Amino acid sequence: MLPTIRESSQVEFIELSPIPNQAPPLLGLSAQRMLKALADGETNPAALAALADRKLHATQEQLCDALGACTQLNPVYRRLLAMMLEELRLIDEQIGKLNQEMANLLRRQQDAVERLAEVPGLGVDSAQQIIAEVGATAATFPSAKQLSSWVGACPGEEESAGVNYSHRSPKGNRNMRRILNQAANAAVKAKGTIFEIVYRRMAPRLGHKQTIGVVAHRQCLLIWKVLHEGVRYEERGPAVTKQSKQRRTAKMIRQLRSLGYRVEPSNPQPPNPT
């Protein structure tokens, strides 16, 4: 069982240094479907909007309004759009091959990958990248604070007369800071987790950016503990249900199996009677 990581006055005010040239996320499935139809010659805004997922926040009227200019789109731009979509498909394919290659190299560290992927905000891909950076046991770092300092997820130390004049974290390892920044933003959106509670409590006082720094710092401490001490993450959030844990576990198992790992659920569900 993981002990609760208590807050400190230093940790509360850390701020992750900005990461330059950070690539935006690739298109979602709804956007890909609509752009693919647009590149194929579809011009009806209603037909394009109907391809969006029902869970999309934008309404059909908003989508139709945004896609209204598609009726007069020059064929040259349609061909350029088709080329861009093909390039994105190639990038996704290359990313999949790299993930598979990483999984093959980390096959012996499967247990560490599974334990690390259980931390909210992280997943199989993030776990593999973290282990590739710090090792399966984080043996290079004798303490969680040293790992946090190396990553760059710790408070600044520009002090004078006991007063800290810098809340900005050191530069640290760029790849790990990028992973932690993405993981922290994902963790605070996970319903019922301790990270969501921390974010709701601190964001009104510190703002989004500094609160994400607090969450990233906590995740860094958890990463060291999970890897170095070989423990498993245990959620402390009061609103986490058994169903949500089962859904997260099933998703993680699917991701592991897709990369070639051999995984079996600890408590397999009996088949439903027919």
Side-chain angles (χ1 to χ4, degrees):
M1 181 180 295
L2 286 175
T4 303
I5 300 178
R6 298 181 179 179
E7 303 169 28
S8 66
S9 58
Q10 283 185 315
V11 174
E12 287 187 0
F13 293 96
I14 67 171
E15 178 180 336
L16 288 180
S17 302
I19 303 174
N21 302 326
Q22 190 171 1
L26 297 182
L27 299 176
L29 294 178
S30 296
Q32 290 183 23
R33 287 194 296 266
M34 289 186 285
L35 291 176
K36 177 66 167 55
L38 184 60
D40 291 340
E42 180 61 61
T43 59
N44 187 352
L48 293 171
L51 297 174
D53 190 272
R54 294 182 179 179
K55 296 181 180 179
L56 202 65
H57 290 299
T59 64
Q60 291 292 310
E61 291 76 13
Q62 291 173 330
L63 290 174
C64 288
D65 181 63
L67 296 167
C70 299
T71 56
Q72 301 177 355
L73 192 63
N74 192 294
V76 174
Y77 295 116
R78 296 184 190 277
R79 291 194 290 272
L80 291 175
L81 180 58
M83 294 171 62
M84 184 201 71
L85 292 175
E86 177 62 21
E87 184 176 354
L88 287 177
R89 185 198 64 78
L90 179 60
I91 292 174
D92 285 335
E93 182 179 338
Q94 291 175 338
I95 291 174
K97 290 180 179 179
L98 290 174
N99 287 336
Q100 185 63 62
E101 184 66 24
M102 188 182 300
N104 294 337
L105 295 173
L106 295 177
R107 195 63 52 83
R108 295 182 179 179
Q109 283 77 37
Q110 176 175 336
D111 180 65
V113 173
E114 290 181 20
R115 286 187 284 107
L116 200 57
E118 293 174 354
V119 178
L122 299 180
V124 177
D125 292 341
S126 299
Q128 291 185 147
Q129 294 179 52
I130 291 171
I131 292 175
E133 291 286 346
V134 305
T137 60
T140 308
F141 308 97
S143 68
K145 290 184 178 180
Q146 290 182 342
L147 174 61
S148 179
S149 177
W150 178 78
V151 170
C154 59
E157 295 183 353
E158 295 182 13
E159 293 189 2
S160 178
V163 179
N164 190 347
Y165 289 96
S166 174
H167 304 320
R168 186 177 296 276
S169 61
K171 292 184 178 180
N173 182 280
R174 179 178 179 180
N175 291 332
M176 281 293 294
R177 287 192 300 111
R178 173 183 56 80
I179 296 170
L180 277 181
N181 188 47
Q182 294 175 350
N185 278 280
V188 299
K189 297 177 183 178
K191 299 298 183 182
T193 64
I194 189 64
F195 298 110
E196 183 199 23
I197 297 172
V198 170
Y199 181 83
R200 290 180 179 274
R201 185 171 69 244
M202 293 186 173
R205 177 165 55 93
L206 301 181
H208 173 77
K209 192 173 182 180
Q210 289 189 2
T211 306
I212 290 298
V214 175
V215 175
H217 179 76
R218 291 189 173 206
Q219 285 185 318
C220 192
L221 301 182
L222 278 172
I223 288 169
W224 182 89
K225 193 169 187 66
V226 168
L227 294 179
H228 198 78
E229 299 184 3
V231 297
R232 306 194 80 92
Y233 176 80
E234 181 178 338
E235 180 54 59
R236 299 296 183 88
V240 175
T241 63
K242 182 178 180 180
Q243 290 76 13
S244 64
K245 290 183 178 179
Q246 289 177 345
R247 286 194 299 268
R248 177 172 171 80
T249 301
K251 180 180 179 181
M252 187 182 71
I253 290 176
R254 287 196 302 270
Q255 292 176 336
L256 289 168
R257 287 176 175 172
S258 67
L259 294 172
Y261 292 102
R262 295 184 178 180
V263 185
E264 294 296 334
S266 57
N267 295 316
Q269 297 295 327
N272 293 328
T274 57

